[in-house]
Amino acid sequence: MDAALNPEARFAPAACARLVVKIGSSLLVDGAGQVRRDWLASVVADVAAARAAGQEIVIVSSGAIALGARRLGLEKGGRASLEDAQAAAAVGQVALSALWESLLGAAGLTCAQVLLTLGDLEDRRRYLNVAATLGRLLSLGAVPVLNEHDTVATSEIRFGDNDRLAARAAQAAGASGVLLLSDVDGLYTANPANDPQASRVPLVKALTPEIMAMASGASASGMGSGGMASKLLAAQIAGTAGIPLAISDGRALHPLKQFMGGGHGTVFLAPRGTRAKKAWLAGRMTVAGTLTIDAGAETALRRGASLLAAGVRGVEGRFKRGDVVALHGPDGNIGRGLAGYDADDARRIMGLRGEAQTAVLGHAPRAAMVHADHLVLT
Ligand code: GLU
């Protein structure tokens, strides 16, 4: 099949050695809070077929909160408060893992549970550790089943939706595609619920402002926390790492097989991949501070130079060397990078050239405030 004619073919085993498949809560659990077991068994059959065809699969499974809420009798699907969601997730996650373990096991596959917090993927050392673990699990033939560790993640440090978790995990797993299975069949030009003229966009070549404006907020089912906006953010994170992402309606049986056979959806092509470390940096969601730089420094950065202390006009935040900081030029945010200095030292030497920095620091300064290898511009 020609991938140019059939964008879904990019996700098939022949073109995609390692695929991340995200399954939304509304697919796993029906309106009454019951697991859709037959449907799930059909997903597992598809996973087994993909593996037999040489494709490695990483599953990102939502549904812990929805399942736990039913068992605990919580209102609003367990999403009335953070405490409810965390309690529901604790109860639901065991049930969810048991389900995957039994269905994958019945298909002759080994299930591996991996629960992640945002911090696990935002901290470079922990990210590399997750990447190594996922790689090892896959090389051993296991099927990693991921979810956010909702029970311990608090509101400030949560992914909050598994769409972005899937994109970030795809980066960590070195995947070549992400498929978001949900109860919508793709991106529409406008919200189809309000606009009868709305049409599905089958292929997105670039995430332009017009495309970003097509997302209209919350999850349609009210069960998950995703919605189109989080799916577009996921496409952005995956795209930065050079990984194409697709959204597809997964409600019918055998959703993977159907999608790869040319099913309806929206495929987001990825621009040429950036270097792995830069992609990790660009996909991060939190920053520890801000460096404001002058116009001359911005021009130099855009030509590929490092950020020198002399070009820094302001330092905000309490960051440590190695933390991610936002970079602001005269017209606002221009990117981010890894700080070469702790915030206090950065404040002391900002605006100064080499020798003057030595006098302030009492030792020779480092080569740069942010090295060119450790920054990405937007
Ligand atoms: N981690 C949540 C759960 O397992 C789902 C997050 C989402 O809705 O994307 O219930």
Side-chain angles (χ1 to χ4, degrees):
M1 241 180 291
D2 183 347
L5 294 175
N6 177 3
E8 289 81 16
R10 287 171 195 271
F11 299 82
C16 177
R18 196 170 277 184
L19 177 69
V20 172
V21 181
K22 180 255 172 172
I23 297 176
S25 302
S26 64
L27 297 180
L28 261 151
V29 182
D30 67 17
Q34 303 285 353
V35 173
R36 295 176 67 218
R37 211 183 159 92
D38 290 349
W39 176 85
L40 204 52
S42 82
V43 173
V44 167
D46 288 356
V47 171
R51 294 237 23 153
Q55 185 175 46
E56 291 173 332
I57 303 275
V58 174
I59 292 169
V60 175
S61 174
S62 301
I65 297 175
L67 278 177
R70 186 177 63 95
R71 295 188 177 205
L72 291 170
L74 294 171
E75 58 177 9
K76 295 192 178 153
R79 290 176 190 268
S81 67
L82 182 64
E83 289 83 357
D84 275 8
Q86 298 197 296
V91 171
Q93 185 61 46
V94 213
L96 194 58
S97 305
L99 199 61
W100 282 110
E101 153 71 15
S102 95
L103 290 172
L104 286 168
L109 297 169
T110 306
C111 172
Q113 173 182 268
V114 182
L115 297 179
L116 295 170
T117 61
L118 181 60
D120 294 329
L121 296 180
E122 297 279 278
D123 175 274
R124 179 86 185 151
R125 203 170 49 81
R126 279 152 73 192
Y127 171 86
L128 293 175
N129 192 30
V130 171
T133 307
L134 289 175
R136 186 67 184 131
L137 284 169
L138 289 165
S139 74
L140 290 168
V143 179
V145 179
L146 278 53
N147 196 0
E148 182 162 11
H149 198 347
D150 294 306
T151 298
V152 298
T154 54
S155 58
E156 311 81 65
I157 51 157
R158 291 190 73 207
F159 276 100
D161 66 78
N162 275 356
D163 299 320
R164 285 179 297 170
L165 174 65
R168 212 65 172 111
Q171 251 178 285
S176 23
V178 181
L179 173 58
L180 305 179
L181 292 176
S182 118
D183 54 2
V184 293
D185 66 352
L187 176 70
Y188 278 72
T189 49
N191 188 342
N194 319 325
D195 185 347
Q197 304 292 321
S199 61
R200 186 171 52 85
V201 183
L203 185 66
V204 174
K205 292 195 174 137
L207 286 165
T208 58
E210 291 74 31
I211 293 284
M212 295 308 276
M214 289 176 192
S216 66
S219 144
S221 65
M223 214 184 283
S225 54
M228 198 46 76
S230 77
K231 291 181 175 50
L232 291 186
L233 289 173
Q236 206 165 38
I237 293 170
T240 316
I243 305 172
L245 176 143
I247 304 170
S248 175
D249 184 349
R251 281 173 294 187
L253 294 180
H254 296 289
L256 276 184
K257 196 168 122 195
Q258 287 205 12
F259 173 75
M260 287 174 194
H264 300 301
T266 298
V267 169
F268 297 85
L269 298 184
R272 204 166 47 83
T274 18
R275 284 188 20 230
K277 184 160 188 182
K278 292 206 174 203
W280 170 81
L281 195 54
R284 273 188 55 117
M285 292 187 249
T286 50
V287 292
T290 302
L291 298 177
T292 304
I293 68 173
D294 63 22
E298 180 175 344
T299 309
L301 296 196
R302 295 210 181 276
R303 286 203 201 107
S306 294
L307 175 63
L308 304 182
V312 177
R313 291 282 167 270
V315 176
E316 269 172 55
R318 295 165 59 86
F319 51 86
K320 293 238 167 316
R321 174 175 148 75
D323 282 349
V324 177
V325 289
L327 302 174
H328 284 192
D331 300 322
N333 189 33
I334 58 163
R336 53 185 53 181
L338 296 181
Y341 285 95
D342 294 353
D344 288 344
D345 281 348
R347 260 182 217 108
R348 289 162 66 207
I349 61 167
M350 69 181 189
L352 302 180
R353 297 191 181 277
E355 289 138 48
Q357 291 177 39
T358 310
V360 169
L361 291 170
H363 55 78
R366 295 178 199 283
M369 187 75 98
V370 179
H371 193 275
D373 283 348
H374 300 161
L375 63 87
V376 280
L377 298 178
T378 43

